Amino acid sequence: KQWYQRRVRGFIGLGNMGGHMAKNLVKAGKDVVVYDVNEVSVEDLQSSGAGAAATPSELAARSDVIITMVPSSPHVQEVFSGDEGVLKSLKPGSLCIDSSTIDPAVSKEIDGAVRSVGAHFYDAPVSGGVVAAENGALTFMVGGETDRFTEVKSYLDHMGANIIHCGPNGNGLVVKLCNNMMLAISMIGAAETLNMGIKMGMERKLLSEILGKSTARCWSIDTYNPVPGVMEGVPASRDYSGGFGATLMLKDLGLAQLMADASDSPIVLGKMAKQIYDDLCKQDEFAPKDFGVIFKKLSEQ
């Protein structure tokens, strides 16, 4: 099949998630070319064996498959449609896979632009956090045409443990935004509960262990606990550095609210979660941190 002939993977966006994802492609022995506005991140990938492009346009000219992982809708639009964007030199037949979490409407806009030059586009946002990105254990929620999903999966298999086709373009993002709204709600619930229990005299590790074995069990308790000193290797163990930023969670909650408005879906807790993270991100000491920092804010009140 034609897709077996593809050789060069281009990767744009080497942040907390994208950097690990690109490294896993290199570790798999793939020919990878990277681009990021942060030169240090590019140099880190080069030291791992990747090549580097000076612009997204140059990367597109050198690549057969292009994977993007950038923070927001405007970033994706700039990467594809900017003066030195991917669309300037995208080759017909190329495959574009966007793992950014953005507005599904913007994803469909980019899909149309990519198709207009004879290439193919899939939205493929991820879940699992930085640890899963590092370990190649992400879940990919893929939206796009069915006939090339097998090819898309063959590239994502090097970075993920679960690659799921969700339907047409935009559906991957619908699932991801539903997931992140639920995640924000559960993280706030976990933080409130843990803070209350600790202030009532419970030892933090014991409380977390019991909740993790009870009906309150959730990812925010047993995998990504927001209380410092409970788990190693999570952002709470390093003053909430790295991880999934509180500002990114706020962005995703805003996108979820747009979906709720468009579908006339009530999201009472979703709106409350957005307000809580909006208030959190107005404080400079919390805004740059992982979204689990909501526990620290509550514990200091």
Side-chain angles (χ1 to χ4, degrees):
K1 294 181 181 180
Q2 180 184 3
W3 61 267
Y4 284 117
Q5 300 174 12
R6 300 189 196 274
R7 292 291 179 267
V8 182
R9 279 75 163 166
F11 202 106
I12 298 174
L14 306 174
N16 291 334
M17 298 289 288
H20 291 304
M21 292 164 67
K23 284 182 180 178
N24 283 329
L25 288 176
V26 175
K27 289 176 184 176
K30 307 306 175 184
D31 189 357
V32 180
V33 179
V34 301
Y35 171 79
D36 194 278
V37 294
N38 186 325
E39 293 182 4
V40 174
S41 297
V42 173
E43 291 169 0
D44 182 40
L45 260 293
Q46 285 180 295
S47 69
S48 298
T55 64
S57 177
E58 180 191 331
L59 181 141
R62 294 169 57 182
S63 305
D64 304 302
V65 180
I66 300 165
I67 301 169
T68 46
M69 183 61 160
V70 296
S72 66
S73 297
H75 292 97
V76 172
Q77 290 170 317
E78 179 64 23
V79 161
F80 278 90
S81 304
D83 292 340
E84 297 181 318
V86 166
L87 289 167
K88 292 292 184 182
S89 55
L90 186 63
K91 296 176 288 189
S94 295
L95 178 63
C96 299
I97 304 171
D98 181 36
S99 288
S100 315
T101 301
I102 62 172
D103 185 343
V106 172
S107 182
K108 292 178 180 180
E109 167 195 314
I110 300 298
D111 175 48
V114 168
R115 286 175 180 272
S116 72
V117 299
H120 311 283
F121 181 86
Y122 286 77
D123 60 296
V126 303
S127 181
V130 175
V131 174
E134 186 172 5
N135 294 333
L138 291 166
T139 292
F140 284 86
M141 294 153 270
V142 184
E145 54 195 5
T146 303
D147 58 352
R148 284 184 173 80
F149 174 68
T150 300
E151 178 184 0
V152 171
K153 185 177 184 299
S154 74
Y155 306 128
L156 301 184
D157 276 336
H158 299 297
M159 300 176 286
N162 302 289
I163 294 86
I164 305 164
H165 189 229
C166 302
N169 177 264
N171 276 24
L173 286 162
V174 169
V175 177
K176 174 61 188 291
L177 292 170
C178 288
N179 177 82
N180 277 22
M181 184 177 78
M182 184 67 215
L183 176 59
I185 293 168
S186 67
M187 177 58 81
I188 293 167
E192 289 184 344
T193 299
L194 291 163
N195 179 57
M196 180 174 65
I198 292 167
K199 287 188 173 181
M200 286 299 295
M202 280 297 301
E203 196 280 322
R204 59 189 60 201
K205 286 188 177 181
L206 179 59
L207 176 60
S208 296
E209 180 183 355
I210 295 169
L211 292 174
K213 295 177 179 178
S214 304
T215 52
R217 190 201 64 78
C218 63
W219 189 81
S220 298
I221 292 286
D222 66 11
T223 304
Y224 208 79
N225 197 290
V227 181
V230 171
M231 289 182 175
E232 296 181 2
V234 297
S237 69
R238 50 180 185 268
D239 193 28
Y240 303 97
S241 64
F244 183 61
T247 54
L248 291 177
M249 179 56 86
L250 176 60
K251 179 262 297 183
D252 290 354
L253 288 167
L255 293 174
Q257 185 165 328
L258 290 176
M259 286 203 317
D261 292 342
S263 59
D264 196 24
S265 302
I267 53 165
V268 177
L269 292 180
K271 288 182 178 180
M272 291 178 68
K274 181 177 180 294
Q275 185 60 57
I276 288 168
Y277 274 100
D278 186 52
D279 292 341
L280 179 80
C281 291
K282 288 176 181 176
Q283 296 179 254
D284 292 341
E285 69 172 301
F286 300 129
K289 302 290 189 176
D290 174 80
F291 79 112
V293 77
I294 185 65
F295 172 83
K296 182 177 182 181
K297 183 176 188 295
L298 291 170
S299 68
E300 293 176 355
Q301 290 180 353

